[in-house]
Structures are given as structure tokens and as C-alpha cells.
Amino acid sequence: MRVEVINIEQTKNEAKRYILNKIPLVSKVFQFNSVIGDIKLEYIEFKVLIYEVISKKNNRIFKNESKKETITMLVNTYNGRSESIDKIPNTLNKYISKSCIRESKINEDDLVNVVKEEIVSRLTDRLSYDSIDKISIQINIVDIKSIYKPYWVANFRGRNIFIDS
């Protein structure tokens, strides 16, 4: 499957060293099972959602003022976390087998609506309580793009640990 992928910055051995450096010295001495088992590269799908927000302020004296801005959101489809970003990450077009891609747990339609509600709540939090009824907000989805981020997944003491690569 040919997809857009964020570049890998960390090798498999660096990921192992990172895990081993995080283990406290006392645990290394008293627990002899500090061996990292299976470590593999997996890709998690991130959705880049670009919204256009149009806000209109109703003034009785002056004409209605309208303001347009775009908001870009990056959403992890595996755990549902979202964040507002200024710039889309650089990607490469690469072939990846489907077995290396972690299945997303969130439906795309639900994702668009949840992020839209999140944007509305953030915008209304910024406005004062008195001015909410004087402003109308319209949010439209402009673009949806899928990118994949690589993670090293290590089996350590029976748990899966995700490490950014």
C-alpha cells in the first residue's frame, strides 16, 4: 500500500537503548528479566483535518463583520488525541505492507464531527459570555488527509511500549 509517511529518525537499536536507559538501576539489579522481547516497526494513521471557520459579528450600528480563518488539526486515529498545528509535517511517499499498519479505532465521520465540536468549544471559551449571542460561527471542513507516523513497538515484561521513531 503506497501512503504518505513521516520520516523515521530513530533506528531499532536506538529504540532498544532508549528503553534500557529508562529502566532504573535497582530494577536492573533485582529483576533479571529486563530483556526486551520482540521489537517491530508499526505505523499509526494520523488524519490532518483542515477547517475553515467563518465568524460573523452582528453590530446594529455598523455592517456585519465577518472573519475567515483556517484551523489545521492533527488527530491520532488510534487513541483519538488531537492537536492544533501550524504546519503539516513533512512526509515521504512510501510503500508499506498492510500488516505493519495499526488499525484505527475511530470512524472518519465521527472523527470530523468530534473535532468540529472541540473547535466550537475552544472558540466559545475564548469569547466572553455576553458576546456569544452576538456572534455566529460557521465551521466547514475543507480537506482531509491521511499520513502515517512510524512507531517502534517493543514487548517488554508482557506490555507493549510505543516509542517514537
Side-chain angles (χ1 to χ4, degrees):
M1 181 170 156
R2 191 166 277 296
V3 294
E4 291 190 36
V5 178
I6 297 174
N7 198 14
I8 298 172
E9 297 175 2
Q10 196 175 40
T11 64
K12 188 175 186 178
N13 290 333
E14 289 173 347
K16 277 186 178 182
R17 262 188 260 125
Y18 177 79
I19 293 171
L20 291 174
N21 287 340
K22 290 294 181 180
I23 299 172
L25 182 62
V26 176
S27 295
K28 288 180 184 177
V29 172
F30 290 116
Q31 297 174 347
F32 298 110
N33 62 349
S34 62
V35 177
I36 299 170
D38 185 25
I39 188 166
K40 60 185 174 183
L41 188 64
E42 287 189 358
Y43 293 86
I44 295 178
E45 182 181 14
F46 280 75
K47 293 282 188 183
V48 178
L49 304 170
I50 300 174
Y51 289 93
E52 181 182 59
V53 179
I54 303 169
S55 60
K56 294 180 182 177
K57 189 173 185 180
N58 298 328
N59 287 336
R60 293 185 180 165
I61 301 169
F62 303 110
K63 289 184 177 180
N64 292 342
E65 299 174 22
S66 66
K67 202 187 284 188
K68 264 188 190 180
E69 63 179 296
T70 58
I71 296 176
T72 306
M73 300 290 285
L74 184 68
V75 183
N76 185 335
T77 60
Y78 183 68
N79 62 13
R81 292 188 181 164
S82 65
E83 63 179 307
S84 177
I85 57 173
D86 295 329
K87 182 176 109 171
I88 299 174
N90 295 331
T91 58
L92 305 169
N93 206 354
K94 195 174 183 182
Y95 177 79
I96 299 172
S97 68
K98 286 188 178 186
S99 63
C100 293
I101 296 175
R102 246 318 138 142
E103 187 176 330
S104 64
K105 294 182 177 179
I106 302 170
N107 185 6
E108 186 173 307
D109 295 332
D110 296 336
L111 183 76
V112 169
N113 292 329
V114 168
V115 173
K116 192 176 194 178
E117 291 172 7
E118 183 180 328
I119 290 172
V120 168
S121 68
R122 286 185 184 177
L123 289 176
T124 55
D125 287 345
R126 280 197 293 176
L127 300 172
S128 66
Y129 183 73
D130 297 331
S131 66
I132 290 175
D133 58 345
K134 296 178 184 176
I135 295 177
S136 63
I137 299 172
Q138 181 182 2
I139 300 175
N140 302 321
I141 186 85
V142 176
D143 190 22
I144 301 174
K145 182 179 176 183
S146 292
I147 59 174
Y148 292 83
K149 184 174 182 182
Y151 285 93
W152 290 105
V153 180
N155 187 350
F156 184 69
R157 295 185 187 150
R159 294 182 303 206
N160 283 338
I161 300 172
F162 287 88
I163 302 161
D164 278 341
S165 67

